[in-house]
Amino acid sequence: VDATAHLLEFCSMVRSKPFHHISTMGVLTPDMLDRHGSVRENAPLGDIRCMPLYGTGDQANGYPQSKWLAEMMVFEAARQGLPAFVHRPGLIGGNSLTGASAEDVFFHFLSDVLKLRCLPDMEGNKFKLTPVDWVAKAIVGIALKEGYASGSVFHPAVPGNSISIADLTEVFQLLGYRNLQIMDFVQWREMII
């Protein structure tokens, strides 16, 4: 949060400079949902009290709450006249051409699955991955284009690019990881904490 404050101050000095804040979909709260169960880019930031105080990975260490606070600072700077924008990428996957990936939340999830030889029982398409190169191109494209209103929010994500637990199981089996157990999510989570 301090870094965001310092960067906003820098962008405000002498001649204002556009500020593009990279946030996370982790700041989205249930009170931001529309009647169709979606969060529109123009939805106001939700109530921080609706964010979970527990979880695994980044959700367990206050990361989403710090991003929420940083977003509030960006919106206030935009209200005061600084050209400021928020980008909320979802789950970022590997490069679309090479598959190269950073050690992020999804990487650690996959690593935990292989260490435990267990997958959590989760229904539906739980992982909406967007290739890192696509996210980067989208953010740079927006940053270079003029005409967006200050305070605008963008959700750079590839629609319909979902991976289910069944898909992951199939990929793991193709890679030689057979006999993976499926277990209750809560039990699985307790094993990795």
Side-chain angles (χ1 to χ4, degrees):
V1 176
D2 286 345
T4 302
H6 292 302
L7 289 168
L8 286 168
E9 181 181 8
F10 169 76
C11 287
S12 301
M13 296 174 72
V14 185
R15 177 183 61 86
S16 74
K17 296 159 262 322
F19 181 77
H20 288 265
H21 177 69
I22 311 302
S23 188
T24 173
M25 291 276 192
V27 301
L28 304 181
T29 55
D31 58 336
M32 296 174 69
L33 294 170
D34 66 13
R35 62 189 178 124
H36 304 291
S38 299
V39 176
R40 304 262 181 235
E41 290 176 333
N42 63 354
L45 195 55
D47 188 336
I48 194 170
R49 294 172 296 181
C50 294
M51 297 178 86
L53 295 174
Y54 55 87
T56 61
D58 289 337
Q59 290 190 342
N61 65 17
Y63 179 75
Q65 289 82 0
S66 68
K67 283 297 198 177
W68 183 93
L69 184 56
E71 277 197 29
M72 292 300 282
M73 294 166 59
V74 172
F75 293 135
E76 179 57 26
R79 192 187 67 72
Q80 292 182 23
L82 182 72
F85 310 90
V86 172
H87 303 268
R88 292 181 189 139
L91 193 55
I92 299 175
N95 182 286
S96 64
L97 300 176
T98 67
S101 178
E103 289 193 26
D104 62 0
V105 173
F106 191 63
F107 173 89
H108 288 289
F109 167 77
L110 296 176
S111 177
D112 290 337
V113 165
L114 295 178
K115 283 179 198 167
L116 297 172
R117 298 285 199 250
C118 294
L119 285 151
D121 187 15
M122 297 164 45
E123 295 179 19
N125 292 321
K126 292 296 179 183
F127 306 104
K128 296 180 192 267
L129 289 172
T130 300
V132 65
D133 50 315
W134 194 95
V135 172
K137 286 177 189 172
I139 291 171
V140 169
I142 290 166
L144 294 176
K145 186 176 179 183
E146 293 185 20
Y148 292 112
S150 185
S152 292
V153 176
F154 305 94
H155 294 166
V158 175
N161 201 29
S162 299
I163 297 174
S164 68
I165 290 294
D167 296 331
L168 281 177
T169 303
E170 186 178 321
V171 169
F172 284 139
Q173 288 175 346
L174 289 171
L175 293 171
Y177 294 96
R178 308 242 188 278
N179 301 324
L180 293 174
Q181 289 183 301
I182 305 286
M183 68 176 0
D184 176 71
F185 176 78
V186 174
Q187 291 175 323
W188 180 86
R189 184 178 163 270
E190 287 174 0
M191 288 178 66
I192 65 168
I193 292 181

